[in-house]
Amino acid sequence: MTPFNINKIRSEFPILSEKAYGKPLVYFDNAASSQKPKVVIDALVDYYSSYNANIHRGVHFLSQKASAAFDAVREKVKTFINATSEREIIFVRGTTEAINLVASTYGRKNIGQGDEILISAMEHHSNIVPWQMLCEEKGAVLKVIPMNEKGELMMNELPALLTEKTKFVSVVHISNSLGTINPVKEIIRQAHAKGIPVLVDGAQSTAHEIIDVQDLDADFFTFSGHKILGPTGVGCLYGKLHLLEAMPPYHGGGEMISSVSFEKTTYNEVPFKFEAGTPNIADVIALGTAIDYWNQLDRQAVSAWEKELLNYATKLISEIPAVRLIGTAENKASVISFVIEGVNALDAGMFLDTKGIAVRTGHHCTEPVMQFFKIPGTLRASFMFYNTKEEIDSLVENLTKAIALLQPHSVA
Ligand code: PMP
């Protein structure tokens, strides 16, 4: 039993009635990108077909309408993540750009030779590489909070890793490859006790948790629109206003300036200081529609259903003899990653694909996680509230077939 009308919800996502190779589509690649409800798709079409214009500069009707729709989204995001001011919301392309922005501005200004930046063992490449680039440039050192065999951060190591040299902490809220929900509030508490600011990578968590940046006390928080029912190419960086105000700009160009002469340029106020050029107007507006969609959902019921899907899939998949789960944290989101003894994850993924089942295989942009578990990659099924137990049954049935077909000893 679903705690809400799942058929109605599914009917709101056009793609869920599509077929792949003539078979009903089973979409289990939600951690890579979520599907979009029709209202979000319609918002894009509506913008381009009825009020497409550049914003903030035009005196004409279309520009004013587009500007109002665009500006309203900042307020929606503010409420969605409980920021204190809409000025704390910066529109970016996604989590990757948000982290690069912080590394290039806050990081370049505040991190120097011999300083330490602390990340965790389960970061996505986008929360590793920008910091490595900064370390290379500044002669700073990247430190890592280790994890255990279950894929949980070893919190007992944290106090010793937060030293007088630590100038920044950047951690993932929910791991995309393991599903672990990290105790970010506690990490922030400990870092703040030593005066160290913290960025939380919310790329996965924003789709599965109710985000409250004030309650977390995060200094920076990032998310991507495409993982929360919105379009690609848009995401948000939240930053505490006093930090954003003290940061130098990121990209130079129009919109981010207050005045320009050949002698001197002065910068616009936050958030515009960080939004050079024509923004992604259509996608920002459609992100606002995605947030409206979240707001009319019963988030508690959605969470309960995702938990039920996770428990159901975990039980069935772990019962398959050749399967080893990767990521068995106590506190997990609806992501299940596993390897199959004697079967290449890619081969199994391709077999499932022929049955219309979309899963992800590989390192999921978390190569250090794969190195830790000494595996080349996993097969990952990630669920969203619009998924069903019948779809999981289909995954399990076809996985069993894939193993029978692909395991070497079953060939004879
Ligand atoms: N962090 C995590 C935990 C992710 O899952 C992802 C996307 N897979 C990213 C960062 C990067 O997000 P994007 O590609 O939307 O910038």
Side-chain angles (χ1 to χ4, degrees):
M1 265 285 286
T2 45
F4 47 77
N5 187 343
I6 188 119
N7 290 333
K8 176 175 174 291
I9 285 198
R10 288 181 66 83
S11 72
E12 289 163 355
F13 290 74
I15 216 167
L16 298 180
S17 331
E18 286 293 311
K19 292 201 157 50
Y21 314 111
K23 309 208 166 53
L25 172 72
V26 173
Y27 187 75
F28 284 156
D29 198 15
N30 294 290
S33 202
S34 73
Q35 295 303 348
K36 326 297 173 201
K38 185 164 184 298
V39 283
V40 168
I41 302 163
D42 287 348
L44 292 169
V45 175
D46 186 35
Y47 166 74
Y48 282 122
S49 47
S50 69
Y51 61 104
N52 170 51
N54 210 330
I55 56 165
H56 297 160
R57 288 178 266 266
V59 286
H60 56 83
F61 177 82
L62 292 184
S63 176
Q64 285 175 23
K65 185 168 174 188
S67 302
F70 179 93
D71 293 341
V73 181
R74 218 184 288 276
E75 181 65 33
K76 285 183 191 179
V77 175
K78 178 210 139 194
T79 310
F80 187 59
I81 63 169
N82 197 29
T84 35
S85 157
E86 62 175 59
R87 295 183 60 214
E88 296 178 317
I89 310 301
I90 296 160
F91 292 119
V92 288
R93 280 189 294 142
T95 300
T96 304
E97 185 174 50
I99 298 172
N100 276 281
L101 189 160
V102 177
S104 303
T105 58
Y106 183 93
R108 278 223 181 100
K109 185 171 177 195
N110 295 295
I111 289 157
Q113 176 81 30
D115 287 343
E116 294 176 0
I117 299 165
L118 185 61
I119 60 169
S120 88
M122 61 182 83
E123 299 307 325
H124 187 278
H125 295 164
S126 63
N127 200 24
I128 303 174
V129 184
W131 303 115
Q132 280 175 327
M133 289 161 67
L134 182 67
C135 286
E136 208 168 300
E137 182 183 321
K138 296 288 185 172
V141 181
L142 194 67
K143 294 276 184 160
V144 180
I145 310 168
M147 65 178 168
N148 63 23
E149 286 292 327
K150 292 169 104 178
E152 293 166 330
L153 290 183
M154 293 166 74
M155 289 295 285
N156 56 333
E157 306 256 343
L158 183 61
L161 284 163
L162 293 168
T163 71
E164 68 286 353
K165 289 187 181 162
T166 314
K167 290 293 172 331
F168 201 80
V169 176
S170 194
V171 280
V172 69
H173 197 173
I174 295 183
S175 157
N176 64 311
S177 53
L178 301 168
T180 312
I181 304 174
N182 285 320
V184 285
K185 193 171 170 179
E186 175 58 18
I187 296 173
I188 292 168
R189 193 190 65 74
Q190 292 192 31
H192 283 181
K194 296 186 176 170
I196 307 161
V198 182
L199 181 149
V200 175
D201 170 353
Q204 295 296 330
S205 60
T206 310
H208 302 291
E209 305 260 301
I210 293 170
I211 302 298
D212 183 336
V213 289
Q214 290 188 65
D215 179 57
L216 289 176
D217 202 17
D219 298 284
F220 298 99
F221 185 93
T222 66
F223 70 90
S224 302
H226 69 99
K227 293 189 198 271
I228 63 156
L229 316 180
T232 52
V234 62
C236 293
L237 168 66
Y238 157 84
K240 284 184 181 166
L241 195 56
H242 71 99
L243 293 174
L244 295 176
E245 277 176 339
M247 277 153 56
Y250 183 39
H251 294 148
E255 189 85 0
M256 54 77 72
I257 52 87
S258 160
S259 89
V260 176
S261 72
F262 289 122
E263 289 70 38
K264 183 166 173 57
T265 289
T266 52
Y267 303 125
N268 205 340
E269 57 182 27
V270 171
F272 309 109
K273 182 169 81 173
F274 297 106
E275 294 180 355
T278 300
N280 189 347
I281 305 165
D283 294 317
V284 166
I285 292 171
L287 174 64
T289 310
I291 291 174
D292 293 341
Y293 187 89
W294 282 108
N295 290 340
Q296 53 82 48
L297 286 173
D298 175 348
R299 296 291 300 268
Q300 307 293 344
V302 158
S303 269
W305 180 239
E306 288 185 350
K307 186 98 199 134
E308 205 171 320
L309 290 175
L310 175 70
N311 291 342
Y312 186 71
T314 303
K315 180 171 183 305
L316 292 183
I317 292 175
S318 59
E319 277 168 9
I320 302 173
V323 162
R324 175 161 66 101
L325 296 184
I326 302 293
T328 49
E330 294 302 322
N331 201 9
K332 263 192 79 170
S334 52
V335 171
I336 175 160
S337 247
F338 52 96
V339 290
I340 308 166
E341 204 183 310
V343 176
N344 182 294
L346 180 62
D347 293 340
M350 283 165 67
F351 179 89
L352 293 173
D353 176 52
T354 64
K355 308 295 176 193
I357 302 171
V359 294
R360 191 76 152 192
T361 64
H363 55 60
H364 319 294
C365 294
T366 56
E367 280 194 60
V369 170
M370 304 303 136
Q371 288 152 12
F372 174 85
F373 286 102
K374 300 189 174 55
I375 50 175
T378 72
L379 208 148
R380 181 188 73 186
S382 49
F383 313 121
M384 203 75 170
F385 58 83
Y386 46 65
N387 287 126
T388 65
K389 289 188 178 171
E390 291 73 26
E391 290 180 310
I392 292 173
D393 290 339
S394 170
L395 170 68
V396 172
E397 185 192 323
N398 285 296
L399 205 50
T400 311
K401 285 186 191 158
I403 293 168
L405 188 76
L406 296 166
Q407 248 183 359
H409 54 78
S410 63
V411 175

